[in-house]
Amino acid sequence: MTTPVCTTASSAAVPPTTYASFSSYVRARGPVLLRTARSLTANPSDAEDLLQTALAKTFLAWERIEDHRALDGYVRRALLNTRTSQWRKRRVDEFCCEELPEPAVAAPADPAERQVLHDAMWRAVTRLPDRQRAMVVLRYYEDLSEAQTAEVLGVSVGTVKSAVSRALRKLREDPELAPVR
């Protein structure tokens, strides 16, 4: 004699027609729902677990769902809510170790070197054509947006984008700004 797998009190109250309709729904829509679950997780096994949990929640509410044409939406919402609950509950592991894994702190930059770089950059900017120099100064020294720069200079945003792009290319190619090796 075999015993039923599910022997809770709530399973005894579920009519056989519920099992049949739910089973046929899962057989018909399972692959599509599994694709949705896979899009929510990085691991195919986690996707199967996620779908299983969402389908269990759906089964418990099967009799309360009035419009069975909207079942896919119900299951997708259950998938999303379950996945959200999983990552909210995700625990952070802590490991004890002898030394702290913090990166070594870089020595502060020498103010003289910083000033030399600043001066070299400004000289390179002054060698740009007037219009490109104006756009670079407004965009990066004055910290204006592309739209604000265009408005100040009375040009289109596209003109600002292309002129600044050409200016930055010239600055990258400037031999005075080449990195020291």
Side-chain angles (χ1 to χ4, degrees):
M1 180 174 170
T2 61
T3 58
V5 175
C6 187
T7 60
T8 63
S10 63
S11 67
V14 177
T17 57
T18 300
Y19 286 119
S21 64
F22 181 76
S23 295
S24 65
Y25 170 74
V26 171
R27 274 193 299 279
R29 301 300 297 162
V32 173
L33 297 171
L34 183 58
R35 277 196 305 269
T36 303
R38 283 188 181 147
S39 70
L40 295 173
T41 63
N43 182 338
S45 298
D46 290 341
E48 291 172 359
D49 292 343
L50 177 64
L51 179 59
Q52 186 70 27
T53 303
L55 287 173
K57 290 178 180 181
T58 303
F59 179 74
L60 292 175
W62 192 258
E63 293 298 318
R64 293 188 316 252
I65 300 172
E66 294 175 10
D67 186 6
H68 279 231
R69 292 175 301 187
L71 283 172
D72 282 357
Y74 187 94
V75 175
R76 283 189 186 102
R77 176 50 59 185
L79 284 167
L80 188 59
N81 290 347
T82 302
R83 183 65 182 144
T84 302
S85 295
Q86 287 173 347
W87 66 256
R88 280 186 181 152
K89 292 177 187 175
R90 186 178 63 213
R91 139 182 104 93
V92 177
D93 293 327
E94 294 181 17
F95 300 99
C96 296
C97 58
E98 294 293 323
E99 295 181 28
L100 294 176
E102 297 167 355
V105 178
D110 182 14
E113 288 179 18
R114 229 176 130 188
Q115 187 62 44
V116 167
L117 179 62
H118 182 271
D119 292 344
M121 182 59 140
W122 186 248
R123 281 191 303 275
V125 168
T126 60
R127 286 192 295 271
L128 291 172
D130 292 342
R131 189 171 178 171
Q132 288 180 0
R133 181 174 57 244
M135 291 183 191
V136 167
V137 168
L138 290 173
R139 282 286 292 128
Y140 298 106
Y141 283 85
E142 297 296 324
D143 201 27
L144 296 182
S145 69
E146 290 168 341
Q148 292 168 327
T149 302
E151 185 178 330
V152 167
L153 296 175
V155 297
S156 70
V157 174
T159 301
V160 171
K161 288 181 180 182
S162 62
V164 167
S165 175
R166 284 191 301 275
L168 292 177
R169 186 177 333 111
K170 287 181 183 180
L171 291 173
R172 281 188 210 101
E173 295 169 356
D174 191 301
E176 192 178 341
L177 296 177
V180 178
R181 291 185 172 102

